[in-house]
Amino acid sequence: MYNSTIHPIFELFQVEEVPVLHVVIEAILVIVLVYLFTTKKYRKKVETGVKLTKKEEQQLLDDFEPESLVPDVSSNDCAEGFAVEGKFGQVVTVNGNENVVNVATYNFLGLVTDDRIEKEAVRSIRQYGVGSCGPRGFYGTIDCHEELEEKIAAFMGAEECILYSYGFATVASAIPAYSKRGDLIFCDESVCFSIQKGLDASRSTVVYFKHNDMNDLEDKLKAQQKIDNKDPVKAMATRRFIVVEGIYVNTGSICPIDKLVELKYKYKSRLLVEESLSFGVLGKKGRGVTEEYGIDINDVDVIAVSMGASLGSVGGFCCGRRFVIDHQRLSGQGYCFSASLPPLLANAAILSLSVLASDEGSDLLSSLRDNIEHVRARLTTGDAASLFSIRGDKRSPMIHIIVKGVDSSLSVEDKDAFLRRIALKACEHGIFISPCSYIRKDEIFNHEPSLRLCVSAKHTSTQLDNAIKGLIAATKSIE
């Protein structure tokens, strides 16, 4: 209702009557806005404390010692390394020593120097060039990438596969793609460094269980279950993951995947398995630890593999259910922000995979297992048995060798240096073997110093016998 008694000039602003409370609130808001716009955002800080004299200021400057940009490097870290000339075949030239048996690299099926794969890489360079110069999500996807993903998924019996251009980044990207701050990860204490970096990137709460100890894992899962029962609302919002390796890089042990799947369903967790060393090694056709134990691949949420081992290429992949794997195409940092895998390496992996899936692949797997058995028998008899003890599962192509009689009072760094001297000396005796290297200050748990011997399907019995003889001679000469 309008008031007809007011001056005509105010009729321009006349509105329907409103409650007084609305007018008061609007007036307060206007005052607050005026205050915010007219008040300085930054006030000069009032100086507190005692004012220093020029002499005192100079004294503080003279006494100041800045922290080092990098940590101190010991002489062991700067020790002489290995320089290989030519291809990484079963026999190489190392540090000028010719005809040295190579038991240092993860060339388990011997495909790195396969002539057919080399020719395919050369053909790919002529067709596609050297690199892609772009990430997969933008302009770096090439037809051979999609072909490789389809073939890996078909070979593994999985719904979907995603390809990474760097093996280390595969599992290090997969873990934080799913697990975030506030989530729980139950992890074996002997996992490899790439998994450890993935755990750090996830910012999740990590609970470590004893190496391959399923009783300890279940105890920790039970303890968490009791905590969840006290706060079911929080428990519903917390995701739980179990992270393990198929064959552990740091120990050579094989995870009991059957027990892990059982615990996964019992305690409602998700299971991620890193299979870089077990793919192309375990199982009737080399599909890894799931095939070895007869486990349905769909019982494992994510399988991560580096192609730098059995496939003799570069990069890595994850496979699993479609809706799980596709999530990484937007959340996997190594996938989203790295240039895609060079086409020559993708096509090399395609051909390597076709060899693995064929009858020839079955023959290579049989040869690999025979060579593993042969090496383990030689290392546990005669002079080798008195000098060394070995660690790892009997099915693992990577064997950790512990040198007996090393002074227990030596520091871990000194033991590492001692093994490095043995490895360097071994080159002169015809064996190229690698000491296990760790970034000790960054490792969650310390690992026993050891030499790492890797068996290939293409090794001959004579080459392996000569390698062990050379290792024995090198160790005795260092002692």
Side-chain angles (χ1 to χ4, degrees):
M1 180 176 184
Y2 291 94
N3 186 350
S4 59
T5 62
I6 64 174
H7 193 279
I9 193 66
F10 293 107
E11 290 183 1
L12 296 172
F13 306 99
Q14 187 66 32
V15 294
E16 292 184 11
E17 293 182 359
V18 295
V20 176
L21 180 60
H22 288 195
V23 176
V24 173
I25 293 174
E26 290 172 1
I28 292 173
L29 289 175
V30 170
I31 294 171
V32 171
L33 288 173
V34 171
Y35 173 80
L36 291 175
F37 280 113
T38 57
T39 304
K40 291 182 178 180
K41 294 183 178 180
Y42 301 100
R43 298 178 181 272
K44 186 177 180 179
K45 292 184 178 180
V46 179
E47 294 185 3
T48 59
V50 179
K51 185 174 179 61
L52 299 176
T53 65
K54 293 291 184 181
K55 183 178 180 180
E56 290 171 331
E57 290 179 355
Q58 187 59 46
Q59 183 64 40
L60 288 175
L61 291 173
D62 293 340
D63 294 340
F64 175 69
E65 293 183 4
E67 292 184 5
S68 175
L69 290 177
V70 294
D72 293 334
V73 179
S74 69
S75 58
N76 291 336
D77 295 328
C78 299
E80 180 185 358
F82 302 95
V84 177
E85 302 172 26
K87 301 176 183 178
F88 276 92
Q90 281 65 57
V91 177
V92 293
T93 299
V94 187
N95 294 347
N97 300 288
E98 299 180 351
N99 297 320
V100 178
V101 179
N102 176 16
V103 291
T105 57
Y106 294 146
N107 187 19
F108 298 139
L109 298 181
L111 296 176
V112 168
T113 54
D114 190 289
D115 290 339
R116 296 165 296 177
I117 296 172
E118 289 181 1
K119 291 177 182 177
E120 177 63 18
V122 171
R123 184 200 66 79
S124 298
I125 290 176
R126 289 173 178 157
Q127 178 178 353
Y128 296 99
V130 176
S132 61
C133 298
R136 287 288 303 276
F138 294 92
Y139 41 82
T141 295
I142 302 173
D143 56 357
C144 57
H145 294 144
E146 295 177 333
E147 180 184 356
L148 178 56
E149 288 176 342
E150 291 173 1
K151 288 185 178 296
I152 291 173
F155 176 76
M156 293 295 290
E159 294 180 5
E160 186 79 6
C161 172
I162 184 172
L163 193 63
Y164 284 82
S165 55
Y166 182 34
F168 186 96
T170 304
V171 71
S173 296
I175 293 172
Y178 302 105
S179 186
K180 309 295 182 182
R181 188 188 298 274
D183 293 332
L184 279 167
I185 300 177
F186 296 88
C187 185
D188 191 291
E189 65 182 19
S190 291
V191 292
C192 61
F193 198 63
S194 56
I195 289 180
Q196 294 177 39
K197 294 297 102 179
L199 299 176
D200 291 342
S202 73
R203 299 174 297 173
S204 303
T205 300
V206 182
V207 179
Y208 290 96
F209 60 90
K210 296 176 183 178
H211 180 48
N212 260 0
D213 190 334
M214 296 299 100
N215 292 327
D216 187 51
L217 171 58
E218 185 164 18
D219 288 343
K220 288 177 168 56
L221 289 168
K222 283 180 179 178
Q224 183 59 43
Q225 190 177 60
K226 292 179 181 178
I227 296 172
D228 292 342
N229 291 337
K230 295 178 182 178
D231 191 352
V233 175
K234 181 180 178 182
M236 288 292 292
T238 302
R239 290 167 292 192
R240 295 160 195 78
F241 300 84
I242 300 173
V243 178
V244 296
E245 293 179 66
I247 295 178
Y248 286 88
V249 173
N250 292 329
T251 65
S253 304
I254 297 176
C255 73
I257 190 68
D258 51 344
K259 300 295 182 182
L260 288 162
V261 169
E262 179 184 331
L263 293 175
K264 165 201 164 176
Y265 286 116
K266 184 176 180 180
Y267 294 97
K268 298 179 176 60
S269 301
R270 297 165 175 85
L271 179 59
L272 186 151
V273 182
E274 210 285 345
E275 289 217 61
S276 293
L277 298 190
S278 51
F279 177 82
V281 171
L282 298 181
K284 182 178 179 181
K285 295 297 293 182
R287 295 185 178 92
V289 71
T290 52
E291 186 180 41
E292 179 76 9
Y293 283 83
I295 299 296
D296 187 341
I297 192 172
N298 291 319
D299 288 332
V300 179
D301 295 280
V302 178
I303 289 176
V305 176
S306 168
M307 297 190 297
S310 292
L311 292 184
S313 184
V314 174
F317 65 84
C318 289
C319 61
R321 291 187 180 274
R322 181 167 288 106
F323 75 94
V324 175
I325 299 304
D326 276 345
H327 178 72
Q328 292 185 47
R329 299 192 189 276
L330 291 177
S331 300
Q333 294 183 3
Y335 181 89
C336 295
F337 302 112
S338 296
S340 60
L341 187 69
L344 69 106
L345 296 172
N347 281 318
I350 289 172
L351 187 52
S352 293
L353 186 66
S354 67
V355 171
L356 178 59
S358 67
D359 291 339
E360 181 184 353
S362 299
D363 293 338
L364 288 173
L365 289 170
S366 178
S367 176
L368 175 63
R369 288 157 189 164
D370 289 342
N371 283 345
I372 293 170
E373 184 178 357
H374 180 84
V375 168
R376 292 182 69 89
R378 293 296 184 272
L379 287 172
T380 52
T381 56
D383 287 345
S386 62
L387 286 173
F388 312 122
S389 61
I390 60 176
R391 186 174 61 181
D393 191 278
K394 64 181 181 180
R395 295 164 289 181
S396 171
M398 183 195 65
I399 302 170
H400 284 266
I401 299 176
I402 313 297
V403 179
K404 295 179 179 179
V406 178
D407 188 352
S408 59
S409 64
L410 292 177
S411 66
V412 173
E413 291 76 16
D414 289 337
K415 291 178 181 178
D416 286 339
F418 173 71
L419 293 178
R420 192 176 294 112
R421 291 198 301 273
I422 291 178
L424 288 168
K425 193 68 176 177
C427 291
E428 301 174 11
H429 290 272
I431 172 175
F432 178 31
I433 191 169
S434 173
C436 291
S437 299
Y438 305 101
I439 306 176
R440 295 285 183 183
K441 64 182 182 62
D442 291 336
E443 290 280 348
I444 303 299
F445 298 94
N446 271 325
H447 306 289
E448 186 176 6
S450 63
L451 296 167
R452 184 184 62 208
L453 187 150
C454 297
V455 182
S456 172
K458 297 288 184 69
H459 280 134
T460 66
S461 297
T462 301
Q463 288 173 342
L464 294 173
D465 288 342
N466 290 338
I468 294 172
K469 290 177 183 176
L471 181 59
I472 292 171
T475 304
K476 288 182 176 180
S477 68
I478 295 296
E479 289 183 329

